[in-house]
Amino acid sequence: GAAAAYLDAQPEVAAVEALDDGRLELALAGDEDASSALLFRTMSAGHRVSAFVPVASDLEELFLQITGNAEPMA
């Protein structure tokens, strides 16, 4: 979807995987500041983010899940 395409184009995002339940799982390159900046830009671009949480604690590569939809929920 639009959120996956947007995130895939961001420099901090190494990979995007769309999960069956509509969530996106990201492999990120960068530190916590880079992750925060990515979250801010994603929301500023109009993508609805309902969760942004680490699913692994590897410091070299942080995996995050984002549930997003460019369209507002009814």
Side-chain angles (χ1 to χ4, degrees), residues 44-71:
S44 295
H47 299 286
R48 187 179 144 278
V49 178
S50 61
F52 192 81
V53 296
V55 294
S57 59
D58 186 330
L59 294 179
E60 292 180 3
E61 190 170 21
L62 183 65
F63 295 89
L64 300 177
Q65 290 181 337
I66 294 181
T67 303
N69 187 329
E71 301 294 325

Side-chain angles (χ1 to χ4, degrees), residues 24-36:
L24 301 176
E25 186 170 284
L26 310 178
L28 297 183
D31 57 15
E32 288 182 15
D33 288 341
S35 298
S36 295

Side-chain angles (χ1 to χ4, degrees), residues 4-38:
Y6 173 81
L7 290 164
D8 195 41
Q10 302 307 303
E12 302 92 341
V13 179
V16 178
E17 180 181 357
L19 305 179
D20 289 340
D21 61 5
R23 291 179 297 157
L24 301 176
E25 186 170 284
L26 310 178
L28 297 183
D31 57 15
E32 288 182 15
D33 288 341
S35 298
S36 295
L38 174 64

